[in-house]
Amino acid sequence: AQSVTQPDIHITVSEGASLELRCNYSYGATPYLFWYVQSPGQGLQLLLKYFSGDTLVQGIKGFEAEFKRSQSSFNLRKPSVHWSDAAEYFCAVAAGQAGTALIFGKGTTLSVSS
Amino acid sequence: GAVVSQHPSWVICKSGTSVKIECRSLDFQATTMFWYRQFPKQSLMLMATSNEGSKATYEQGVEKDKFLINHASLTLSTLTVTSAHPEDSSFYICSARERSDSYEQYFGPGTRLTVT
């Protein structure tokens, strides 16, 4: 069965420091991968997605992610974190035929210290 | 871009009553809508998938008689929590897919349900 693992439940990063959030997926074929951000009490905002092509994907708010098939990973990165980046981050995979629902990881809470 | 709205954004109801949550795609027609439930500090769990004009497909463990889903038009899906109990208190999020061959979903802002 398809699954998504986000190994880090909570990460604290100093403002201005770099960030990497880990995501590993389990799926036999090429997955469609997403990163979403959720602020408290809010819905999900799409940061970026990978469907095919260049394995380094640029997203909004200065985020990027790299798809590594050999490691079954799709880690999210940002070179310099801002206090407003503090939120919950979810990695998700769409696996199987088009039209199926997303499978979400358990999420990583990002705290930003000043 | 594609916008999905939910109404209400939060609702408090008494135990035993029913609550209806609406999910609308504002600038596109949604062939498929999904309903998720999110407990505090947890991930989103898919409850059901609804396609316009057909019955919803519920995930294992989700009571279809308790969580009634109607997708009457290409822009509106509703989730009715019937005979609500405190354990139904949660954050409910809908998402919509524009094309049946698309993997991308657009999420609504969520509805916080509190049952007292």
Side-chain angles (χ1 to χ4, degrees):
Chain A
Q2 302 86 6
S3 65
V4 177
T5 302
Q6 294 180 246
D8 305 305
I9 297 174
H10 191 180
I11 285 182
T12 298
V13 175
S14 297
E15 190 170 15
S18 63
L19 168 71
E20 181 170 37
L21 301 182
R22 296 183 292 166
C23 173
N24 294 97
Y25 66 89
S26 172
Y27 182 57
T30 299
Y32 296 85
L33 295 159
F34 305 81
W35 273 102
Y36 289 90
V37 61
Q38 183 182 34
S39 297
Q42 302 295 313
L44 275 68
Q45 182 181 24
L46 178 66
L47 287 176
L48 45 78
K49 62 190 177 188
Y50 172 78
F51 284 1
S52 65
D54 193 346
T55 56
L56 184 62
V57 180
Q58 301 298 319
I60 63 172
K61 303 185 179 184
F63 286 93
E64 67 177 25
E66 186 171 13
F67 170 62
K68 292 185 177 180
R69 184 189 302 275
S70 62
Q71 298 178 19
S72 297
S73 69
F74 188 56
N75 295 347
L76 181 71
R77 301 193 295 249
K78 186 170 184 177
S80 178
V81 169
H82 188 262
W83 64 266
S84 60
D85 293 324
E88 189 80 15
Y89 291 80
F90 292 98
C91 181
V93 62
Q97 62 184 15
T100 56
L102 299 181
I103 298 169
F104 286 86
K106 293 185 180 297
T108 297
T109 301
L110 173 65
S111 297
V112 180
S113 61
S114 56
Chain B
V3 179
V4 176
S5 70
Q6 282 184 241
H7 179 79
S9 56
W10 60 270
V11 58
I12 302 173
C13 71
K14 292 187 176 181
S15 184
T17 62
S18 296
V19 175
K20 180 184 286 188
I21 302 170
E22 293 185 348
C23 176
R24 293 182 184 272
S25 56
L26 298 184
D27 50 2
F28 67 99
Q29 293 187 326
T31 57
T32 304
M33 288 185 170
F34 303 92
W35 286 96
Y36 295 84
R37 182 174 181 176
Q38 185 180 31
F39 291 103
K41 303 294 185 182
Q42 295 191 27
S43 188
L44 282 73
M45 299 300 295
L46 179 67
M47 298 176 66
T49 301
S50 74
N51 293 294
E52 186 265 340
S54 62
K55 290 185 178 181
T57 301
Y58 291 81
E59 294 300 298
Q60 191 173 9
V62 177
E63 299 176 60
K64 62 179 65 176
D65 293 331
K66 181 169 191 58
F67 298 99
L68 301 179
I69 292 173
N70 183 277
H71 193 162
S73 76
L74 285 172
T75 60
L76 174 64
S77 176
T78 59
L79 167 67
T80 302
V81 183
T82 63
S83 186
H85 291 283
E87 57 265 31
D88 299 324
S89 298
S90 191
F91 194 55
Y92 293 88
I93 303 176
C94 73
S95 69
R97 191 189 305 279
E98 184 172 10
R99 297 185 349 246
S100 60
D101 62 345
S102 172
Y103 285 91
E104 193 161 354
Q105 298 180 26
Y106 304 99
F107 285 83
T111 296
R112 171 75 58 194
L113 169 63
T114 301
V115 184
T116 61

